[in-house]
Amino acid sequence: MSDNESKESPSIVIANPWERLRAFTDARIGLGRAGISLPTHQLLAFQLAHAQAQDAVHCPLECDALADELTTALNLSQAPIHVHSHAVDRAMYLQRPDYGRRLNDASRAKLQQCAESGQRFDLAVVIVDGLSALAVQQNSAPFLTALYRAFEHDQREWQLAPLTIVEQGRVAIGDEVGALLNADAVLVMIGERPGLSSPDSLGLYMTWAPEVGLKDDRRNCISNVRPAGLKPEEGARRLLLLLTEARQRKLSGVQLKDRSEDNVLEGASGGSTQNFLVAD
């Protein structure tokens, strides 16, 4: 064997100098190239992520299993109420977003029956499959466990409406549920649209004084609750701050600014005790 033959052949994959940054992000950067194309292993990884995102959209929510898990994890005295939107199946849900924003007649009657006592609640929690049942199935119990624990340690008392699980729903359906259950505020926990690196992202939408027909400017959103994103405990902390301020100011949405991520609390140098959730 000649000296030239004994030498290792150079790699046909040309490395990208940005590749080292991938240690800090799930974004597809610094992938390298083979000729004018992606390296084979990067192409396969992309195809896998795309398939996982599609699965997240089309896989159904296992409502009975989720209800059992939540009943046990939260020690509920009443099992979650199972309701359905006007969208009868996934195809209709994807083709008619408006159908996912309203309850069907049977579900509306069920919630009206639950609210016959006329009792008012501080908060109605509504779990909705959305565009990723996977996110709801995996993250609902951990997040609600953290949230209920936060409620228990809060100095204010929180009266919670019966937990509700909605199939084939979108964010706005929570407004109808909250209004039917006589709740001052509603929290919608929904599977967010899957990304190629996050098919399991849970979104939180809080609205004060829910009613049918509200626009998005009336809601506050906390997104990307999942093991590789925002931890359940941190999501619960931020939500409790929003809920506390919403109850005090009787509003939500664009008028209620979430500044819980600011590095420096407003007024720290001036001695102010103003809450860092402000609405100017």
Side-chain angles (χ1 to χ4, degrees):
M1 181 180 296
S2 66
D3 291 341
N4 289 337
E5 291 175 338
S6 63
K7 295 179 179 178
E8 294 185 3
S9 300
S11 173
I12 62 172
V13 176
I14 300 174
N16 189 302
W18 295 100
E19 183 176 6
R20 64 175 68 96
L21 295 180
R22 298 183 61 203
F24 307 100
T25 177
D26 290 332
R28 283 181 162 75
I29 60 174
L31 302 182
R33 62 184 177 87
I36 60 172
S37 302
L38 284 174
T40 300
H41 73 283
Q42 295 291 357
L43 176 61
L44 294 175
F46 176 86
Q47 291 175 333
L48 173 61
H50 188 259
Q52 290 172 330
Q54 288 182 311
D55 286 347
V57 170
H58 292 284
C59 286
L61 180 65
E62 298 179 11
C63 294
D64 292 339
L66 179 60
D68 291 342
E69 181 183 10
L70 292 173
T71 300
T72 301
L74 305 175
N75 194 26
L76 299 177
S77 58
Q78 175 184 346
I81 303 171
H82 181 197
V83 294
H84 206 288
S85 75
H86 268 297
V88 297
D89 55 29
R90 203 59 172 171
M92 182 178 291
Y93 171 83
L94 295 173
Q95 295 169 8
R96 291 294 303 266
D98 55 321
Y99 282 11
R101 299 188 183 109
R102 296 296 304 271
L103 294 167
N104 62 22
D105 294 338
S107 297
R108 190 178 302 108
K110 181 187 292 188
L111 291 180
Q112 287 172 337
Q113 185 177 5
C114 293
E116 284 181 349
S117 65
Q119 180 182 1
R120 290 206 64 84
F121 299 96
D122 296 313
L123 177 68
V125 178
V126 184
I127 302 172
V128 186
D129 49 7
L131 288 169
S132 175
L134 173 67
V136 174
Q137 205 87 48
Q138 292 184 348
N139 299 312
S140 292
F143 171 75
L144 283 178
T145 299
L147 181 62
Y148 276 45
R149 188 179 299 118
F151 283 145
E152 290 173 359
H153 290 87
D154 191 58
Q155 61 182 359
R156 295 160 292 269
E157 184 178 356
W158 294 89
Q159 293 292 332
L160 302 181
L163 196 62
T164 308
I165 298 176
V166 183
E167 276 193 274
Q168 309 297 357
R170 297 191 180 259
V171 173
I173 203 168
D175 296 331
E176 185 173 16
V177 174
L180 289 171
L181 291 177
N182 300 317
D184 291 333
V186 64
L187 166 64
V188 174
M189 302 166 48
I190 190 168
E192 296 181 315
R193 180 180 289 105
L196 291 177
S197 61
S198 57
D200 58 344
S201 180
L202 183 70
L204 311 175
Y205 291 82
M206 186 277 292
T207 307
W208 177 262
E211 59 179 321
V212 174
L214 296 183
K215 304 300 183 183
D216 287 341
D217 65 345
R218 289 282 300 275
R219 317 185 214 283
N220 291 90
C221 176
I222 300 172
S223 63
N224 198 32
V225 177
R226 62 190 183 102
L230 186 67
K231 304 301 181 188
E233 295 75 15
E234 177 61 16
R237 183 189 72 84
R238 294 185 188 180
L239 179 66
L240 184 56
L241 289 171
L242 281 170
L243 284 169
T244 300
E245 194 72 8
R247 187 159 73 169
Q248 178 181 344
R249 301 177 66 88
K250 311 297 183 187
L251 51 79
S252 62
V254 296
Q255 293 181 294
L256 184 65
K257 306 183 191 307
D258 181 0
R259 299 180 57 189
S260 59
E261 295 183 89
D262 285 3
N263 292 327
V264 179
L265 297 185
E266 189 171 285
S269 59
S272 172
T273 59
Q274 182 181 14
N275 194 305
F276 52 87
L277 289 169
V278 296
D280 297 323

PDB file of all heavy atoms in Angstrom, residues 10-34:
ATOM      1  N   PRO A  10     -10.253  12.760   2.501  1.00  0.00           N
ATOM      2  CA  PRO A  10     -10.884  13.944   3.088  1.00  0.00           C
ATOM      3  C   PRO A  10     -12.405  13.809   3.071  1.00  0.00           C
ATOM      4  O   PRO A  10     -12.977  13.196   2.175  1.00  0.00           O
ATOM      5  CB  PRO A  10     -10.413  15.081   2.173  1.00  0.00           C
ATOM      6  CG  PRO A  10     -10.089  14.418   0.872  1.00  0.00           C
ATOM      7  CD  PRO A  10      -9.556  13.061   1.226  1.00  0.00           C
ATOM      8  N   SER A  11     -13.087  14.379   4.078  1.00  0.00           N
ATOM      9  CA  SER A  11     -14.535  14.312   4.157  1.00  0.00           C
ATOM     10  C   SER A  11     -15.157  15.129   3.032  1.00  0.00           C
ATOM     11  O   SER A  11     -14.676  16.205   2.691  1.00  0.00           O
ATOM     12  CB  SER A  11     -15.007  14.847   5.509  1.00  0.00           C
ATOM     13  OG  SER A  11     -16.410  14.937   5.535  1.00  0.00           O
ATOM     14  N   ILE A  12     -16.224  14.587   2.459  1.00  0.00           N
ATOM     15  CA  ILE A  12     -16.911  15.330   1.399  1.00  0.00           C
ATOM     16  C   ILE A  12     -17.865  16.363   1.996  1.00  0.00           C
ATOM     17  O   ILE A  12     -18.400  17.209   1.282  1.00  0.00           O
ATOM     18  CB  ILE A  12     -17.688  14.379   0.473  1.00  0.00           C
ATOM     19  CG1 ILE A  12     -18.777  13.635   1.243  1.00  0.00           C
ATOM     20  CG2 ILE A  12     -16.758  13.412  -0.224  1.00  0.00           C
ATOM     21  CD1 ILE A  12     -19.701  12.816   0.346  1.00  0.00           C
ATOM     22  N   VAL A  13     -18.085  16.282   3.301  1.00  0.00           N
ATOM     23  CA  VAL A  13     -18.944  17.255   3.977  1.00  0.00           C
ATOM     24  C   VAL A  13     -18.101  18.441   4.422  1.00  0.00           C
ATOM     25  O   VAL A  13     -17.111  18.285   5.134  1.00  0.00           O
ATOM     26  CB  VAL A  13     -19.659  16.636   5.192  1.00  0.00           C
ATOM     27  CG1 VAL A  13     -20.467  17.698   5.923  1.00  0.00           C
ATOM     28  CG2 VAL A  13     -20.559  15.491   4.749  1.00  0.00           C
ATOM     29  N   ILE A  14     -18.496  19.622   3.985  1.00  0.00           N
ATOM     30  CA  ILE A  14     -17.788  20.842   4.354  1.00  0.00           C
ATOM     31  C   ILE A  14     -18.445  21.430   5.585  1.00  0.00           C
ATOM     32  O   ILE A  14     -19.638  21.760   5.585  1.00  0.00           O
ATOM     33  CB  ILE A  14     -17.821  21.854   3.192  1.00  0.00           C
ATOM     34  CG1 ILE A  14     -17.148  21.246   1.954  1.00  0.00           C
ATOM     35  CG2 ILE A  14     -17.139  23.161   3.588  1.00  0.00           C
ATOM     36  CD1 ILE A  14     -17.259  22.100   0.712  1.00  0.00           C
ATOM     37  N   ALA A  15     -17.688  21.528   6.675  1.00  0.00           N
ATOM     38  CA  ALA A  15     -18.238  22.016   7.940  1.00  0.00           C
ATOM     39  C   ALA A  15     -18.570  23.500   7.853  1.00  0.00           C
ATOM     40  O   ALA A  15     -17.955  24.250   7.096  1.00  0.00           O
ATOM     41  CB  ALA A  15     -17.248  21.771   9.071  1.00  0.00           C
ATOM     42  N   ASN A  16     -19.525  23.913   8.641  1.00  0.00           N
ATOM     43  CA  ASN A  16     -19.920  25.309   8.712  1.00  0.00           C
ATOM     44  C   ASN A  16     -19.366  25.905   9.999  1.00  0.00           C
ATOM     45  O   ASN A  16     -19.534  25.325  11.073  1.00  0.00           O
ATOM     46  CB  ASN A  16     -21.451  25.424   8.699  1.00  0.00           C
ATOM     47  CG  ASN A  16     -21.930  26.853   8.555  1.00  0.00           C
ATOM     48  OD1 ASN A  16     -21.607  27.704   9.371  1.00  0.00           O
ATOM     49  ND2 ASN A  16     -22.715  27.108   7.512  1.00  0.00           N
ATOM     50  N   PRO A  17     -18.706  27.059   9.945  1.00  0.00           N
ATOM     51  CA  PRO A  17     -18.121  27.635  11.165  1.00  0.00           C
ATOM     52  C   PRO A  17     -19.155  28.011  12.230  1.00  0.00           C
ATOM     53  O   PRO A  17     -18.800  28.193  13.389  1.00  0.00           O
ATOM     54  CB  PRO A  17     -17.394  28.885  10.652  1.00  0.00           C
ATOM     55  CG  PRO A  17     -18.023  29.200   9.332  1.00  0.00           C
ATOM     56  CD  PRO A  17     -18.407  27.881   8.749  1.00  0.00           C
ATOM     57  N   TRP A  18     -20.419  28.126  11.832  1.00  0.00           N
ATOM     58  CA  TRP A  18     -21.463  28.447  12.802  1.00  0.00           C
ATOM     59  C   TRP A  18     -21.921  27.230  13.594  1.00  0.00           C
ATOM     60  O   TRP A  18     -22.745  27.347  14.504  1.00  0.00           O
ATOM     61  CB  TRP A  18     -22.678  29.049  12.090  1.00  0.00           C
ATOM     62  CG  TRP A  18     -22.412  30.366  11.449  1.00  0.00           C
ATOM     63  CD1 TRP A  18     -22.169  30.600  10.125  1.00  0.00           C
ATOM     64  CD2 TRP A  18     -22.348  31.638  12.097  1.00  0.00           C
ATOM     65  NE1 TRP A  18     -21.953  31.932   9.899  1.00  0.00           N
ATOM     66  CE2 TRP A  18     -22.063  32.599  11.101  1.00  0.00           C
ATOM     67  CE3 TRP A  18     -22.500  32.061  13.400  1.00  0.00           C
ATOM     68  CZ2 TRP A  18     -21.925  33.941  11.382  1.00  0.00           C
ATOM     69  CZ3 TRP A  18     -22.376  33.403  13.690  1.00  0.00           C
ATOM     70  CH2 TRP A  18     -22.086  34.329  12.677  1.00  0.00           C
ATOM     71  N   GLU A  19     -21.389  26.060  13.263  1.00  0.00           N
ATOM     72  CA  GLU A  19     -21.881  24.826  13.878  1.00  0.00           C
ATOM     73  C   GLU A  19     -21.743  24.836  15.398  1.00  0.00           C
ATOM     74  O   GLU A  19     -22.573  24.264  16.109  1.00  0.00           O
ATOM     75  CB  GLU A  19     -21.131  23.623  13.294  1.00  0.00           C
ATOM     76  CG  GLU A  19     -21.628  22.287  13.808  1.00  0.00           C
ATOM     77  CD  GLU A  19     -20.934  21.111  13.141  1.00  0.00           C
ATOM     78  OE1 GLU A  19     -19.977  21.365  12.367  1.00  0.00           O
ATOM     79  OE2 GLU A  19     -21.327  19.973  13.407  1.00  0.00           O
ATOM     80  N   ARG A  20     -20.726  25.490  15.913  1.00  0.00           N
ATOM     81  CA  ARG A  20     -20.522  25.507  17.362  1.00  0.00           C
ATOM     82  C   ARG A  20     -21.672  26.173  18.109  1.00  0.00           C
ATOM     83  O   ARG A  20     -21.908  25.899  19.284  1.00  0.00           O
ATOM     84  CB  ARG A  20     -19.208  26.205  17.708  1.00  0.00           C
ATOM     85  CG  ARG A  20     -19.151  27.687  17.346  1.00  0.00           C
ATOM     86  CD  ARG A  20     -17.852  28.319  17.844  1.00  0.00           C
ATOM     87  NE  ARG A  20     -16.720  27.787  17.113  1.00  0.00           N
ATOM     88  CZ  ARG A  20     -16.162  28.375  16.050  1.00  0.00           C
ATOM     89  NH1 ARG A  20     -16.656  29.526  15.631  1.00  0.00           N
ATOM     90  NH2 ARG A  20     -15.155  27.844  15.435  1.00  0.00           N
ATOM     91  N   LEU A  21     -22.409  27.038  17.415  1.00  0.00           N
ATOM     92  CA  LEU A  21     -23.536  27.722  18.066  1.00  0.00           C
ATOM     93  C   LEU A  21     -24.717  26.790  18.298  1.00  0.00           C
ATOM     94  O   LEU A  21     -25.621  27.111  19.079  1.00  0.00           O
ATOM     95  CB  LEU A  21     -23.990  28.911  17.222  1.00  0.00           C
ATOM     96  CG  LEU A  21     -22.978  30.049  17.061  1.00  0.00           C
ATOM     97  CD1 LEU A  21     -23.566  31.154  16.213  1.00  0.00           C
ATOM     98  CD2 LEU A  21     -22.559  30.591  18.425  1.00  0.00           C
ATOM     99  N   ARG A  22     -24.725  25.628  17.663  1.00  0.00           N
ATOM    100  CA  ARG A  22     -25.845  24.711  17.819  1.00  0.00           C
ATOM    101  C   ARG A  22     -25.898  24.129  19.223  1.00  0.00           C
ATOM    102  O   ARG A  22     -26.911  23.541  19.617  1.00  0.00           O
ATOM    103  CB  ARG A  22     -25.752  23.602  16.775  1.00  0.00           C
ATOM    104  CG  ARG A  22     -25.829  24.111  15.329  1.00  0.00           C
ATOM    105  CD  ARG A  22     -25.809  22.993  14.327  1.00  0.00           C
ATOM    106  NE  ARG A  22     -26.950  22.114  14.520  1.00  0.00           N
ATOM    107  CZ  ARG A  22     -26.990  20.851  14.116  1.00  0.00           C
ATOM    108  NH1 ARG A  22     -25.932  20.325  13.514  1.00  0.00           N
ATOM    109  NH2 ARG A  22     -28.059  20.128  14.318  1.00  0.00           N
ATOM    110  N   ALA A  23     -24.831  24.288  19.990  1.00  0.00           N
ATOM    111  CA  ALA A  23     -24.852  23.842  21.382  1.00  0.00           C
ATOM    112  C   ALA A  23     -25.785  24.697  22.226  1.00  0.00           C
ATOM    113  O   ALA A  23     -26.173  24.304  23.334  1.00  0.00           O
ATOM    114  CB  ALA A  23     -23.443  23.876  21.969  1.00  0.00           C
ATOM    115  N   PHE A  24     -26.193  25.858  21.712  1.00  0.00           N
ATOM    116  CA  PHE A  24     -27.010  26.803  22.480  1.00  0.00           C
ATOM    117  C   PHE A  24     -28.418  26.971  21.945  1.00  0.00           C
ATOM    118  O   PHE A  24     -29.202  27.746  22.510  1.00  0.00           O
ATOM    119  CB  PHE A  24     -26.314  28.169  22.507  1.00  0.00           C
ATOM    120  CG  PHE A  24     -24.886  28.111  22.977  1.00  0.00           C
ATOM    121  CD1 PHE A  24     -23.848  28.123  22.058  1.00  0.00           C
ATOM    122  CD2 PHE A  24     -24.591  28.013  24.326  1.00  0.00           C
ATOM    123  CE1 PHE A  24     -22.524  28.071  22.477  1.00  0.00           C
ATOM    124  CE2 PHE A  24     -23.278  27.948  24.751  1.00  0.00           C
ATOM    125  CZ  PHE A  24     -22.235  27.966  23.835  1.00  0.00           C
ATOM    126  N   THR A  25     -28.766  26.302  20.853  1.00  0.00           N
ATOM    127  CA  THR A  25     -30.086  26.493  20.254  1.00  0.00           C
ATOM    128  C   THR A  25     -30.510  25.248  19.489  1.00  0.00           C
ATOM    129  O   THR A  25     -29.671  24.471  19.014  1.00  0.00           O
ATOM    130  CB  THR A  25     -30.079  27.702  19.294  1.00  0.00           C
ATOM    131  OG1 THR A  25     -31.378  27.821  18.677  1.00  0.00           O
ATOM    132  CG2 THR A  25     -29.039  27.551  18.206  1.00  0.00           C
ATOM    133  N   ASP A  26     -31.835  25.065  19.385  1.00  0.00           N
ATOM    134  CA  ASP A  26     -32.387  23.994  18.557  1.00  0.00           C
ATOM    135  C   ASP A  26     -32.568  24.430  17.111  1.00  0.00           C
ATOM    136  O   ASP A  26     -32.978  23.619  16.266  1.00  0.00           O
ATOM    137  CB  ASP A  26     -33.747  23.552  19.111  1.00  0.00           C
ATOM    138  CG  ASP A  26     -33.612  22.812  20.428  1.00  0.00           C
ATOM    139  OD1 ASP A  26     -32.559  22.194  20.649  1.00  0.00           O
ATOM    140  OD2 ASP A  26     -34.564  22.852  21.235  1.00  0.00           O
ATOM    141  N   ALA A  27     -32.277  25.701  16.814  1.00  0.00           N
ATOM    142  CA  ALA A  27     -32.440  26.206  15.450  1.00  0.00           C
ATOM    143  C   ALA A  27     -31.500  25.476  14.504  1.00  0.00           C
ATOM    144  O   ALA A  27     -30.399  25.064  14.877  1.00  0.00           O
ATOM    145  CB  ALA A  27     -32.177  27.704  15.407  1.00  0.00           C
ATOM    146  N   ARG A  28     -31.948  25.332  13.261  1.00  0.00           N
ATOM    147  CA  ARG A  28     -31.131  24.617  12.278  1.00  0.00           C
ATOM    148  C   ARG A  28     -30.130  25.588  11.638  1.00  0.00           C
ATOM    149  O   ARG A  28     -30.379  26.165  10.588  1.00  0.00           O
ATOM    150  CB  ARG A  28     -32.042  23.981  11.227  1.00  0.00           C
ATOM    151  CG  ARG A  28     -32.703  22.729  11.744  1.00  0.00           C
ATOM    152  CD  ARG A  28     -33.583  22.060  10.709  1.00  0.00           C
ATOM    153  NE  ARG A  28     -33.835  20.696  11.094  1.00  0.00           N
ATOM    154  CZ  ARG A  28     -34.675  20.317  12.055  1.00  0.00           C
ATOM    155  NH1 ARG A  28     -35.344  21.239  12.709  1.00  0.00           N
ATOM    156  NH2 ARG A  28     -34.836  19.051  12.360  1.00  0.00           N
ATOM    157  N   ILE A  29     -28.996  25.743  12.307  1.00  0.00           N
ATOM    158  CA  ILE A  29     -27.926  26.596  11.807  1.00  0.00           C
ATOM    159  C   ILE A  29     -26.640  25.784  11.753  1.00  0.00           C
ATOM    160  O   ILE A  29     -26.485  24.785  12.454  1.00  0.00           O
ATOM    161  CB  ILE A  29     -27.725  27.835  12.701  1.00  0.00           C
ATOM    162  CG1 ILE A  29     -27.369  27.408  14.129  1.00  0.00           C
ATOM    163  CG2 ILE A  29     -28.962  28.706  12.695  1.00  0.00           C
ATOM    164  CD1 ILE A  29     -27.022  28.554  15.043  1.00  0.00           C
ATOM    165  N   GLY A  30     -25.714  26.234  10.920  1.00  0.00           N
ATOM    166  CA  GLY A  30     -24.416  25.570  10.834  1.00  0.00           C
ATOM    167  C   GLY A  30     -24.521  24.117  10.446  1.00  0.00           C
ATOM    168  O   GLY A  30     -23.838  23.259  11.015  1.00  0.00           O
ATOM    169  N   LEU A  31     -25.342  23.793   9.463  1.00  0.00           N
ATOM    170  CA  LEU A  31     -25.574  22.393   9.101  1.00  0.00           C
ATOM    171  C   LEU A  31     -24.483  21.803   8.229  1.00  0.00           C
ATOM    172  O   LEU A  31     -24.410  20.589   8.084  1.00  0.00           O
ATOM    173  CB  LEU A  31     -26.925  22.271   8.372  1.00  0.00           C
ATOM    174  CG  LEU A  31     -28.153  22.762   9.139  1.00  0.00           C
ATOM    175  CD1 LEU A  31     -29.414  22.527   8.321  1.00  0.00           C
ATOM    176  CD2 LEU A  31     -28.261  22.072  10.485  1.00  0.00           C
ATOM    177  N   GLY A  32     -23.647  22.655   7.673  1.00  0.00           N
ATOM    178  CA  GLY A  32     -22.635  22.141   6.742  1.00  0.00           C
ATOM    179  C   GLY A  32     -23.245  21.867   5.378  1.00  0.00           C
ATOM    180  O   GLY A  32     -24.437  22.083   5.145  1.00  0.00           O
ATOM    181  N   ARG A  33     -22.419  21.338   4.468  1.00  0.00           N
ATOM    182  CA  ARG A  33     -22.931  21.005   3.136  1.00  0.00           C
ATOM    183  C   ARG A  33     -22.084  19.917   2.506  1.00  0.00           C
ATOM    184  O   ARG A  33     -20.912  19.720   2.855  1.00  0.00           O
ATOM    185  CB  ARG A  33     -22.961  22.235   2.231  1.00  0.00           C
ATOM    186  CG  ARG A  33     -21.605  22.862   1.957  1.00  0.00           C
ATOM    187  CD  ARG A  33     -21.746  24.132   1.122  1.00  0.00           C
ATOM    188  NE  ARG A  33     -20.466  24.799   0.911  1.00  0.00           N
ATOM    189  CZ  ARG A  33     -19.626  24.513  -0.081  1.00  0.00           C
ATOM    190  NH1 ARG A  33     -19.929  23.570  -0.966  1.00  0.00           N
ATOM    191  NH2 ARG A  33     -18.485  25.183  -0.215  1.00  0.00           N
ATOM    192  N   ALA A  34     -22.706  19.207   1.605  1.00  0.00           N
ATOM    193  CA  ALA A  34     -22.004  18.222   0.787  1.00  0.00           C
ATOM    194  C   ALA A  34     -22.235  18.636  -0.662  1.00  0.00           C
ATOM    195  O   ALA A  34     -23.329  18.446  -1.192  1.00  0.00           O
ATOM    196  CB  ALA A  34     -22.530  16.817   1.038  1.00  0.00           C
TER     197      ALA A  34
END
